[in-house]
């Protein structure tokens, strides 16, 4: 009786004793097993003498969560749990033949009931989403594969043990990657550890499609952060700095581990590996800002082929630039360290630290591009439609390397002309900016165009934009902050502004509402616009002047966001191509400038650093080239820096992914310059005087771009 008394009338709760509930049986399945991966967390409410497995409680067919999370057990009220236990006591489990079967198959006319552990034993499916449906072994969902071309075993992509690639209860296939197979148990452990924010396909990193399928197949994905994110001080070692002087002869009397900030005995780490250090004085560094490489990294850097080439072929006005000056900016830790020559060409020459960060992200996206090529035949008189035809072709794969061939509809012989991919993407982006899928002057939002919706152009616009960025196209630079925030944070978390409204009549209504000075004026505006406000669902009762703010907000949200919900979702799906949208949402501060601001103006130094010099170049011509760049920057020429870049590469700005191949210059015995946009090569004329050099450069660039502009004004309008 004493034992019975303790069980029924416990004097106090014993939540602080982790082993107190281990020997207590779950009121649903009557098992005392404590296995969170199989049955969920085991929890005991000692006040009411109640022990449950989380999954047993969650999947029971006759109970609902009517309380708050902190009420009862996981939000299930004690009285409801007791009623469910009482209901289940009358039902016999079709597996173990004992009473208490609280879970029933949801298939019509199926009367099978079972305990949760018994259901697992008979390979039932429990869906931890929606209405938390349960399916018996006869009616459970299955993965259907139309054809099985797998002859050999494949490894589980989590545990790497080989399995037969046939979908069964214990073997599941990824819905997004045909070659990704998993053990059910491996997936469940992974889901519990990763949580909803990090559980995704181990091959392609997809989360939406992958999680939806895994939930359908009975994998429980808890709504929590990843287990590794919850460990206290889990990443503490990453905050520790290396502080040790590793030079051969340390001059510090206090020893190699002595570090005195803001003095000559401050320790500077290697800018390449970060795992070696030196006192400033030990390496004759004048300031902490001056970069330093350890002996091992220096040997790798300065013996590289690119560095040797860079030393042989420098511009005349850069001979005085030292090694240290070439390395003034530190590389992103994600980038493999390049030689100073290669870094000078690809990173330092292509912008600031922000540019390098963008380049790093673009490089990561670029890893998806395969060597296999896909040629697009582009008609310049109708570039948009011919591009759409190419991208919509069933054999087109966005991860293939793109080749461009220009064709003319007036050419009866069908002759192809090799084209510059980056020039093509620049022209495509110009058309996209002025296409009917966007509205606005400078900062644009999505429009509502029924024809574009019908032709699925919003999806294609997002897809083309993603492909363009990854394949080396220019920055869009025309998005409004509102559109960008919708993509990153979701429309529900974005508040539009008046500048987002391009419709003059709607803008006037908003201005009148915002400038109303009394309730009478506000009601007058509402009455005048009654039909419009009723149509868009923004009609509201005006009782005070402060109601104008909510009214204006409702109109703004409808016109800018709700009205274009269908185009936005379609555009968003297209932007997921090659994982671009996921990167945007991961690094919004980096992509904001790419999408919402035009690139910064080019300077003589940027162009001088951007172009590498080919071998056997004429020294005098190179000197003329540098003088010409300075003259253009000073406004002494009708040509702009952007004109020079377009003439040589087809782009008016440096793409976020950089140029491939790197722009170069060479000097040839001819009268006028020649730009090879396919190779990003600019051939400079060799002349006797600088005046002749400038006149010839101005004449060739100005007239070439004028002819191209006349042609583009025709095909951009199509």
């Amino acid at each position: 009786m004493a034992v019975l008394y303790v069980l029924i009338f416990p004097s106090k709760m014993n939540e602080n004793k982790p082993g107190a509930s281990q020997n207590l049986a779950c009121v649903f399945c009557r098992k005392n097993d404590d296995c969170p991966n199989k049955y969920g967390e085991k929890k005991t409410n000692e006040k009411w003498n109640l022990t449950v497995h989380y999954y047993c409680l969650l999947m029971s067919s006759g109970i609902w969560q009517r309380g708050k999370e902190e009420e009862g057990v996981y939000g299930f009220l004690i009285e409801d749990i007791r009623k469910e236990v009482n209901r289940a006591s009358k039902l016999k489990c079709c597996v173990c033949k004992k009473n208490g079967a609280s879970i029933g198959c949801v298939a019509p006319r199926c009367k099978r009931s079972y305990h949760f552990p018994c259901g697992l034993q008979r390979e039932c499916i429990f869906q931890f989403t929606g209405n938390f449906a349960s399916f018996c072994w006869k009616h459970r969902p299955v993965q259907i594969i139309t054809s099985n071309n797998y002859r050999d075993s494949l490894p589980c992509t989590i545990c790497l043990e080989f399995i037969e690639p046939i979908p069964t209860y214990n073997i599941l296939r990824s819905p997004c990657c045909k070659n990704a197979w998993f053990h059910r148990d491996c997936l469940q452990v992974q889901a519990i550890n990763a949580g909803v924010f990090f559980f995704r396909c181990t091959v392609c990193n997809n989360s939406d499609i992958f999680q939806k399928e895994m939930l359908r197949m009975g994998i429980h994905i808890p709504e929590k952060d990843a287990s590794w994110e919850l460990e206290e001080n889990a990443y503490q070692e990453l905050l520790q700095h290396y502080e040790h002087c590793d030079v051969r002869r340390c001059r510090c009397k206090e020893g190699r581990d002595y570090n005195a900030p803001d003095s000559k005995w401050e320790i500077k780490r290697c800018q390449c590996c970060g795992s070696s250090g030196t006192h400033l004085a030990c390496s004759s560094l004048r300031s902490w800002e001056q970069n330093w490489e350890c002996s091992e990294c220096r040997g790798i850097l300065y013996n590289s082929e690119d560095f040797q080439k860079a030393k042989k072929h420098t511009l005349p006005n850069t001979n005085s630039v030292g090694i240290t000056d070439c390395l003034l900016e530190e590389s992103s830790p994600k980038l493999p360290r390049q030689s100073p020559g290669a870094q000078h060409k690809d990173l330092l020459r292509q912008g600031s630290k922000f540019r390098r960060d963008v380049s790093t992200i673009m490089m990561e996206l670029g890893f998806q591009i395969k060597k296999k090529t896909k040629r697009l035949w582009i008609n310049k008189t109708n570039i948009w439609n011919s591009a759409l035809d190419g991208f919509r072709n069933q054999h087109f794969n966005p991860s293939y390397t793109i080749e461009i061939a220009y064709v003319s509809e007036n050419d009866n012989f069908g002759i192809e002309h090799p084209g510059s991919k980056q020039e093509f993407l620049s022209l495509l982006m110009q058309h996209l900016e002025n296409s009917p899928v966007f509205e606005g002057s400078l900062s644009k939002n999505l429009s509502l165009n029924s024809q574009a919706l019908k032709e699925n152009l919003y999806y294609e616009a997002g897809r083309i934009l993603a492909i363009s960025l990854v394949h080396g196209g220019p920055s869009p630079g025309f998005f409004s902050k509102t559109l960008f925030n919708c993509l990153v944070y979701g429309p529900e978390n974005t508040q539009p502004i008046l500048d987002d409204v391009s419709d003059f009549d709607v803008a006037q209504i908003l201005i009148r509402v915002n400038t109303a000075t009394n309730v009478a004026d506000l009601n007058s505006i509402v009455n005048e616009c009654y039909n419009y406000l009723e149509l868009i669902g923004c009609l509201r009762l005006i009782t005070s002047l402060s109601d104008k703010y909510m009214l204006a907000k409702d109109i703004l949200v409808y016109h800018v966001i709700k009205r274009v919900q269908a185009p936005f979702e379609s555009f968003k799906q297209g932007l997921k191509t090659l994982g671009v949208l996921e990167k945007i949402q991961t690094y919004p501060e980096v992509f904001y400038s790419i999408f919402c601001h035009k690139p910064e103006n080019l300077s003589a130094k940027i162009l001088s650093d951007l172009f590498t010099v080919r071998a056997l170049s004429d020294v005098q011509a190179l000197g003329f080239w540098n003088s010409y760049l300075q003259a253009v920057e000073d406004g002494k020429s009708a040509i702009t820096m952007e004109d020079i870049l377009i003439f040589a590469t087809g782009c008016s700005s440096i793409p976020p992914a950089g140029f491939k191949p790197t722009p170069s210059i060479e000097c040839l015995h001819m009268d006028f310059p020649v730009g090879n946009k396919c190779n990003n090569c600019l051939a400079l004329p060799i002349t006797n005087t600088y005046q002749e050099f400038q006149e010839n450069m101005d004449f060739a660039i100005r007239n070439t771009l004028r002819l191209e502009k006349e042609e583009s004004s025709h095909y951009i309008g199509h």
Side-chain angles (χ1 to χ4, degrees):
M1 293 298 293
V3 175
L4 183 62
Y5 178 83
V6 170
L7 289 175
I8 299 178
F9 303 103
S11 58
K12 49 178 77 173
M13 292 184 70
N14 197 10
E15 293 180 353
N16 296 326
K17 296 182 180 179
S21 65
Q22 288 183 359
N23 296 323
L24 298 178
C26 170
V27 295
F28 289 104
C29 68
R30 312 293 174 84
K31 289 181 178 289
N32 58 9
D33 303 48
D34 190 1
C35 184
N37 287 351
K38 289 181 68 176
Y39 309 135
E41 182 184 3
K42 186 180 180 182
K43 190 166 184 179
T44 297
N45 187 310
E46 296 192 1
K47 180 180 179 181
W48 300 103
N49 189 32
L50 208 64
T51 299
V52 295
H53 289 124
Y54 179 47
Y55 295 169
C56 293
L57 176 62
L58 202 60
M59 300 308 302
S60 292
S61 303
I63 190 170
W64 290 267
Q65 190 178 30
R66 296 195 300 128
K68 297 180 180 178
E69 192 68 27
E70 63 275 7
E71 293 185 83
V73 183
Y74 302 111
F76 293 90
L77 302 182
I78 299 298
E79 57 184 289
D80 292 342
I81 296 176
R82 288 183 166 176
K83 289 179 181 178
E84 179 64 5
V85 172
N86 183 56
R87 182 190 72 85
S89 65
K90 304 170 186 177
L91 300 174
K92 183 176 290 187
C93 175
C94 60
V95 180
C96 69
K97 308 304 180 184
K98 296 179 181 179
N99 290 341
S102 62
I103 306 172
C105 178
V106 299
R109 299 182 182 179
C110 182
K111 297 182 179 181
R112 291 187 179 92
S113 296
Y114 33 83
H115 302 102
F116 185 84
C118 296
L120 288 181
Q121 179 185 338
R122 285 303 305 269
E123 301 182 349
C124 298
I125 291 284
F126 304 95
Q127 294 181 343
F128 295 89
T129 185
N131 293 324
F132 293 88
S134 169
F135 298 87
C136 70
W137 56 93
K138 291 289 186 181
H139 302 112
R140 70 187 183 207
V142 295
Q143 289 187 312
I144 299 175
I145 300 179
T146 53
S147 61
N148 192 344
N149 298 321
Y150 305 103
R151 297 180 180 177
D152 302 323
S153 299
L154 293 175
C156 166
T157 61
I158 296 178
C159 71
L160 301 182
E161 289 186 5
F162 280 88
I163 55 180
E164 291 299 322
I166 300 173
T168 62
Y169 175 80
N170 291 307
I171 304 298
L172 300 177
R173 191 183 79 160
S174 171
C176 39
C177 294
K178 296 180 179 179
N179 293 326
W181 294 80
F182 312 90
H183 291 109
R184 173 180 289 274
D185 292 343
C186 293
L187 272 175
Q188 186 58 75
V189 172
Q190 180 90 340
I192 290 175
N193 288 328
V196 69
F197 302 110
F198 292 93
F199 184 57
R200 53 193 63 193
C201 177
T202 55
V203 177
C204 71
N205 225 25
N206 179 282
S207 59
D208 295 340
I209 299 174
F210 185 75
Q211 287 191 15
K212 185 176 180 181
E213 174 66 5
M214 293 305 114
L215 286 170
R216 186 181 78 89
M217 296 307 297
I219 300 298
H220 178 225
I221 309 172
E223 292 186 5
K224 67 178 186 67
D225 210 342
S227 57
W228 57 84
E229 296 286 345
L230 300 176
E231 295 179 20
E232 188 175 357
N233 298 325
Y235 305 103
Q236 190 66 30
E237 67 275 6
L238 298 180
L239 303 177
Q240 297 176 1
H241 297 293
Y242 185 85
E243 295 183 351
H244 184 80
C245 181
D246 295 293
V247 297
R248 181 174 298 179
R249 297 183 61 183
C250 178
R251 302 176 184 176
C252 182
K253 295 180 180 179
E254 303 294 332
R256 292 181 178 271
D257 293 326
Y258 180 72
N259 182 27
D262 301 322
S263 73
K264 65 179 181 179
W265 302 119
E266 181 174 6
I267 289 181
K268 171 76 176 177
R269 292 179 297 279
C270 173
Q271 66 170 356
C272 303
C273 65
S275 58
S276 295
T278 178
H279 291 113
L280 297 183
C282 295
S283 294
S284 302
L285 299 176
R286 292 186 296 272
S287 68
W288 193 87
E289 286 78 12
Q290 193 172 353
N291 282 341
W292 173 81
E293 309 94 7
C294 64
S295 57
E296 291 184 4
C297 293
R298 190 180 301 119
I300 296 171
L301 293 175
Y302 300 162
N303 290 328
S304 68
E305 182 182 353
D306 285 341
F307 178 71
Q308 297 298 329
K309 290 181 179 179
K311 287 180 63 178
K312 292 178 182 177
H313 308 298
T314 54
L315 299 181
N317 67 345
T318 60
N319 288 335
S320 61
V321 178
I323 292 173
T324 305
D325 298 322
C326 293
L327 300 172
L328 284 179
E329 297 183 33
E330 295 186 17
S331 297
S332 164
K334 295 181 181 179
L335 267 177
R337 183 66 186 180
Q338 295 176 311
S339 70
Q343 186 189 44
H344 199 55
K345 291 183 288 186
D346 296 330
L347 299 181
L348 188 59
R349 290 173 176 176
Q350 294 191 20
S352 62
K353 182 177 183 296
F354 162 75
R355 175 66 64 188
R356 274 208 316 278
D357 290 343
V358 172
S359 297
T360 304
I361 297 169
M362 290 297 116
M363 181 180 67
E364 293 171 358
L365 288 170
F367 288 150
Q368 304 171 81
I369 306 302
K370 300 177 176 62
K371 290 184 179 180
K372 185 174 181 178
T373 60
K374 173 62 179 176
R375 175 166 293 188
L376 299 180
W377 285 272
I378 303 300
N379 184 350
K380 273 197 171 184
T381 61
N382 198 349
I383 191 169
W384 175 253
N385 286 332
S386 56
L388 275 182
D389 291 341
F391 290 138
R392 285 172 169 173
N393 187 292
Q394 61 178 349
H395 299 297
F396 177 78
N397 187 326
S399 62
Y400 289 170
T401 298
I402 296 176
E403 288 184 353
I404 300 299
Y406 289 125
V407 295
S408 174
E409 58 185 12
N410 298 323
D411 188 352
N412 296 326
F413 299 99
I415 299 176
E416 301 174 4
H417 302 280
S420 163
K421 177 178 68 175
Q422 289 178 312
E423 179 193 33
F424 160 70
L425 294 175
S426 294
L427 294 173
L428 201 56
M429 203 53 56
Q430 290 177 37
H431 181 96
L432 190 62
E433 182 176 357
N434 297 288
S435 70
V437 301
F438 293 101
E439 63 182 18
S441 52
L442 298 177
S443 297
K444 296 179 180 291
N445 289 291
L446 290 174
S447 66
L448 180 61
N449 187 295
S450 58
Q451 187 63 28
L453 267 176
K454 182 179 179 181
E455 297 178 5
N456 203 24
L457 291 184
Y458 292 99
Y459 170 81
E460 296 295 347
R463 184 165 177 256
I464 287 172
L465 203 153
I467 292 171
S468 174
L469 278 176
V470 178
H471 283 268
S475 304
F478 59 82
F479 278 39
S480 71
K481 185 177 181 180
T482 298
L483 177 54
F484 183 80
N485 286 342
C486 284
L487 290 170
V488 175
Y489 308 111
E492 67 280 3
N493 299 315
T494 302
Q495 179 56 50
I497 60 175
L498 182 60
D499 290 342
D500 293 319
V501 179
S502 59
D503 188 296
F504 178 79
D505 294 331
V506 176
Q508 288 300 307
I509 293 174
L510 285 166
I511 292 172
R512 290 181 62 193
V513 169
N514 282 322
T515 56
T517 56
N518 53 61
V519 176
D521 287 345
L522 195 55
N523 274 315
S524 175
I525 298 169
V526 171
N527 290 332
E528 287 181 32
C529 307
Y530 185 92
N531 292 335
Y532 171 71
L533 295 176
E534 184 180 36
L535 178 66
I536 66 175
C538 295
L539 194 62
R540 61 170 48 241
L541 180 64
I542 304 298
T543 58
S544 66
L545 186 59
S546 61
D547 288 341
K548 70 178 184 178
Y549 301 112
M550 288 304 299
L551 177 60
K553 180 181 177 181
D554 290 345
I555 298 173
L556 266 176
V557 169
Y558 169 78
H559 186 81
V560 180
I561 295 178
K562 291 183 178 180
R563 182 177 64 99
V564 295
Q565 184 176 357
F568 175 78
E569 290 300 327
S570 183
F571 179 76
K572 185 178 174 182
Q573 288 299 317
L575 203 55
K576 288 182 179 180
T577 304
L578 295 174
V580 170
L581 180 61
E582 185 176 358
K583 286 291 185 184
I584 294 172
Q585 293 171 339
T586 306
Y587 305 102
E589 69 285 348
V590 173
F591 281 93
Y592 176 74
S593 293
I594 292 179
F595 279 81
C596 300
H597 295 290
K598 293 296 183 182
E600 61 184 20
N601 293 330
L602 299 172
S603 65
K605 185 179 187 313
I606 291 176
L607 277 193
S608 176
D609 291 340
L610 179 65
F611 285 86
T612 59
V613 183
R614 291 193 176 185
L616 303 176
S617 296
D618 185 271
V619 175
Q620 180 175 317
L622 293 177
F624 289 166
W625 161 249
N626 287 298
S627 299
Y628 180 69
L629 291 178
Q630 194 59 53
V632 172
E633 184 176 33
D634 294 340
K636 298 177 181 178
S637 169
I639 302 302
T640 65
M641 293 293 176
E642 288 70 26
D643 291 339
I644 298 174
L645 192 61
I646 294 172
F647 181 77
T649 67
C651 301
S652 61
S653 61
I654 301 173
F659 283 107
K660 293 180 183 178
T662 302
S664 61
I665 54 176
E666 60 181 347
C667 303
L668 300 177
H669 290 279
M670 55 187 182
D671 294 330
F672 297 98
V674 176
N676 186 339
K677 297 175 182 178
C678 294
N679 297 324
N680 296 329
C681 181
L682 174 60
L684 301 176
I686 297 177
T687 60
N688 294 323
T689 65
Y690 170 72
Q691 183 178 356
E692 183 183 358
F693 180 89
Q694 178 173 346
E695 289 176 352
N696 292 355
M697 291 288 290
D698 286 350
F699 178 83
I701 295 175
R702 182 176 60 250
N703 285 283
T704 300
L705 296 187
R706 178 180 59 81
L707 292 173
E708 290 180 352
K709 189 174 182 180
E710 290 175 357
E711 182 182 2
S712 66
S713 63
H714 173 67
Y715 59 72
I716 287 180
H718 280 67

